[in-house]
Amino acid sequence: MKPVLGVLPFLFIPALAVAQAVAGAANQAANLAAQPAPRLVSEDAMVPSKDPGIRIYVRNKRRADLASFAPEKTVLFVHGATYPAETSFDLPLAGLSWMDYIAQRGYDVYLMDVRGYGRSTRPPEMDAPPEKNAPIADTETAVRDISAVVDYILARRHLEKLDLMGWSWGTSTMAAYTAGNPAKVVRLVLYAPLWLRDTPSLVQVSGAIGAYRTVAREAAFARWMTGVPEDKKADLIPSGWFDQWWNATLASDPQGSRLSPPVLRAPNGTVLDGQRFWSSGKPVYDPAKIRVPILLIQAEWDQDTPPYMSRALFPLLVNAPEKRYVMIGEGTHTVMMEKKRLQLFREVQAFLDEGAAPSSPATAPAQTSELR
C-alpha cells in the first residue's frame, strides 16, 4: 500500500493473533506476579556522627543473594522536616515498602535518621521544654550527619560513590551534600523538592521558635490533606494506611508517645532555616554546583513544597549532565504512601536503573566490591 503525504499505511492483524498476543502478555504478567519476592536481609546500625556523643540510626536492606556491590546500585535515603525515614521509606503498606521495592531489584539500600529524629540520638535539648533552648538539627547539622553515613557506607562496601535520595527538607540536605561532594555521588533523586518559598509554610510555629515542636495525629492528617479536592480525599489513602503510618511514627518517639494526648516531637532547626533562608530568598546550596544526573519528582497536589519550587529550581541546574522533572497526578507531598505510590516507585526506579545499566565498551569497567 502506498502511503499518502506522510500518512502511514494501516497494518491489518488477524483478530486471533491479537487475542493470542494479549493472552500471552496476560499470562506472562500473571506468572511474574506469582513468583515469590526475593528474600531480603535487613540490618540496623548506629553510626558515629561528626560530633561527639551523637550516633545516627542507619538501616540497610538488600537481597539475601546479593554478594557484590556497585556505586550505581547503592542508595541512601534521608527524610524530611518532621517524620523519620523508617516509618515512611520502609513502612510495609500492603506488605511492601519503597525500600523493599528498590532492594528487590538488586540494590543495596540504606535509610538514615538525622539526629533528633527516629532512633538517632536525641540531643539533650529534647529532654527539656522546647522554649528553654534554641532550635536544633538545622540543615548544616543534617549535612554533617549525612556525610558521616555516606562515609560509613562507602567504607563498608569499599566504594567511592553512591546514589542519594531525599524527601522534602531532605532534598535540600542531600542537594547541599552533593554540591559539596560531587565525587561521592552517582545520581541524585529529589522527591518533593524544596526551593525558595513565596507561599506560607505548612510547618508553622507560633511565637519564638524553640528547640523542637510537637505534632498530634489530627494536625498530621490535616497537613497531609491540604490541597486535595474534596471529592478526592476519601480514596486518596487506601484504608488503614494512615493509621499504620501514624502508629509507627508515634512509636518512633517513646517520650512523646507517652504524653496526653500523644505527640511526635520534631526538631525545629528546619523551621528556623525556613525563615532564615527559604522564605527570605536565600538558598542553602548553589544548584550550579550539582554536577551529577538529577531527578526532580513530585505530585500535583503537593502544598508543602508546591510545584512552583521545582519549576524554579530546574533551570538553575545548569551543570547537571542529565536532569529530569516528573509530576505525578492526583497525589500529595506524601504520595509515597498513597494509592499512586507505584507511579513514584517506577519513575524513580527507571532513573536509578539508567545509571546502573551496563557500561558501553568504550567506558572504563565499573567499580564493584564483594560481600566480606
Side-chain angles (χ1 to χ4, degrees):
M1 187 184 335
K2 182 180 179 181
V4 179
L5 297 178
V7 178
L8 293 177
F10 289 105
L11 179 61
F12 293 98
I13 303 176
L16 178 59
V18 173
Q20 290 174 337
V22 171
N27 290 335
Q28 183 180 29
N31 290 335
L32 290 173
Q35 293 176 1
R39 187 172 72 86
L40 301 181
V41 174
S42 181
E43 297 178 302
D44 294 343
M46 298 298 293
V47 177
S49 184
K50 304 288 186 179
D51 302 319
I54 300 293
R55 297 199 304 161
I56 305 304
Y57 173 70
V58 175
R59 174 175 293 176
N60 171 227
K61 275 191 172 181
R62 64 185 186 275
R63 288 174 57 137
D65 59 359
L66 186 64
S68 64
F69 306 93
E72 301 82 4
K73 300 196 77 170
T74 304
V75 183
L76 171 63
F77 175 92
V78 74
H79 55 82
T82 307
Y83 310 115
E86 175 188 353
T87 67
S88 54
F89 187 57
D90 197 29
L91 187 67
L93 299 168
L96 179 75
S97 72
W98 193 2
M99 192 176 198
D100 293 336
Y101 183 93
I102 300 172
Q104 288 173 358
R105 284 151 179 79
Y107 283 72
D108 193 27
V109 191
Y110 294 80
L111 63 76
M112 64 168 285
D113 290 333
V114 172
R115 69 186 71 184
Y117 293 85
R119 303 194 205 184
S120 291
T121 299
R122 302 271 179 169
E125 293 90 338
M126 297 190 77
D127 293 328
E131 66 273 11
K132 297 295 185 180
N133 293 284
I136 60 171
D138 60 6
T139 300
E140 182 180 356
T141 302
V143 172
R144 288 205 305 275
D145 291 347
I146 291 168
S147 178
V149 174
V150 168
D151 289 347
Y152 161 78
I153 296 170
L154 298 184
R156 183 182 192 222
R157 298 303 193 209
H158 307 286
L159 301 174
E160 295 179 357
K161 56 178 66 178
L162 77 173
D163 294 325
L164 296 181
M165 295 173 54
W167 175 33
S168 191
W169 175 55
T171 65
S172 67
T173 58
M174 284 303 205
Y177 176 83
T178 302
N181 301 272
K184 292 184 177 181
V185 182
V186 180
R187 291 190 158 226
L188 178 62
V189 176
L190 304 185
Y191 156 42
L194 173 64
W195 193 241
L196 301 181
R197 180 177 294 282
D198 59 24
T199 53
S201 172
L202 298 186
V203 180
Q204 295 286 349
V205 174
S206 58
I209 305 176
Y212 62 92
R213 63 194 183 280
T214 59
V215 182
R217 183 186 189 281
E218 295 74 17
F221 185 74
R223 176 182 169 191
W224 192 326
M225 289 292 118
T226 301
V228 180
E230 285 298 324
D231 63 338
K232 299 292 186 178
K233 289 182 177 180
D235 65 348
L236 177 69
I237 308 172
S239 178
W241 285 17
F242 178 84
D243 287 335
Q244 184 180 347
W245 166 77
W246 176 250
N247 291 337
T249 299
L250 194 61
S252 73
D253 183 4
Q255 184 171 327
S257 63
R258 289 195 298 266
L259 299 177
S260 182
V263 295
L264 176 78
R265 296 171 301 151
N268 267 341
T270 179
V271 177
L272 180 62
D273 281 352
Q275 293 186 2
R276 293 186 301 180
F277 301 112
W278 301 115
S279 295
S280 300
K282 302 174 183 177
V284 301
Y285 69 93
D286 181 359
K289 293 184 178 180
I290 302 292
R291 299 180 180 275
V292 301
I294 182 170
L295 168 66
L296 281 59
I297 185 166
Q298 67 180 145
E300 67 169 319
W301 296 332
D302 188 338
Q303 295 300 299
D304 277 272
T305 53
Y308 72 79
M309 293 185 176
S310 291
R311 290 195 294 266
L313 172 60
F314 190 81
L316 303 178
L317 297 163
V318 294
N319 291 311
E322 176 188 346
K323 59 182 181 179
R324 188 177 309 170
Y325 174 36
V326 177
M327 179 180 286
I328 296 169
E330 298 194 354
T332 75
H333 193 67
T334 318
V335 67
M336 77 162 105
M337 293 182 284
E338 297 170 0
K339 65 179 183 179
K340 296 293 184 73
R341 67 176 184 148
L342 288 181
Q343 289 189 24
L344 171 70
F345 295 3
R346 287 192 292 263
E347 292 290 346
V348 171
Q349 195 65 46
F351 177 76
L352 294 176
D353 287 348
E354 288 172 15
S359 303
S360 65
T363 304
Q367 180 195 3
T368 60
S369 71
E370 294 185 353
L371 184 63
R372 303 176 190 279

